[in-house]
Amino acid sequence: SSTMYTSVSVGHPMSAGFDTNGSALTFGSVGRGASSTRSFIYTNSFDFPVVVELQVNGNISSLLDYQQAYQVKGKEVIKIPVTAYVPIGLVEGDIYQGNFSVLVRPTR
């Protein structure tokens, strides 16, 4: 399993920003009422299928939309999208953050 930092900053409704960080899942500044999607690649280096489970903790968890589990064939490479939705009612300048965990286990 691996864990990475994740964050989103609440921006002005007309603002857009991004962060190109290779070791974290960061969304940069996202305007109120808008969304931003980031993706990462998972490579199954095993010869057998695995289940990839995604978990988020921290106050960012209610803002993220993602599929919680993927079945990945042996040697398969998949792209996993994660979207941050920033409701209009949030306070501009606030930062939501947490940890995004990727857990891998063999299929049963």
Side-chain angles (χ1 to χ4, degrees):
S1 77
S2 66
T3 299
M4 61 188 119
Y5 173 76
T6 184
S7 68
V8 64
S9 167
V10 179
H12 184 273
M14 297 302 291
S15 73
F18 61 92
D19 184 353
T20 56
N21 187 326
S23 62
L25 185 65
T26 54
F27 295 90
S29 177
V30 178
R32 291 175 291 171
S35 66
S36 176
T37 299
R38 296 290 306 268
S39 297
F40 63 94
I41 303 294
Y42 173 77
T43 301
N44 181 4
S45 57
F46 299 110
D47 290 325
F48 52 86
V50 297
V51 174
V52 175
E53 295 177 350
L54 309 177
Q55 298 176 350
V56 178
N57 66 23
N59 66 354
I60 194 172
S61 61
S62 64
L63 304 182
L64 297 185
D65 183 41
Y66 55 94
Q67 184 175 316
Q68 292 184 328
Y70 291 84
Q71 291 210 12
V72 186
K73 297 174 187 168
K75 303 296 184 188
E76 184 178 18
V77 176
I78 64 169
K79 184 176 183 179
I80 298 176
V82 180
T83 302
Y85 292 98
V86 177
I88 290 174
L90 295 185
V91 176
E92 188 175 330
D94 280 0
I95 297 174
Y96 290 80
Q97 55 193 349
N99 289 308
F100 194 90
S101 297
V102 179
L103 306 151
V104 180
R105 63 174 171 79
T107 58
R108 300 183 200 272

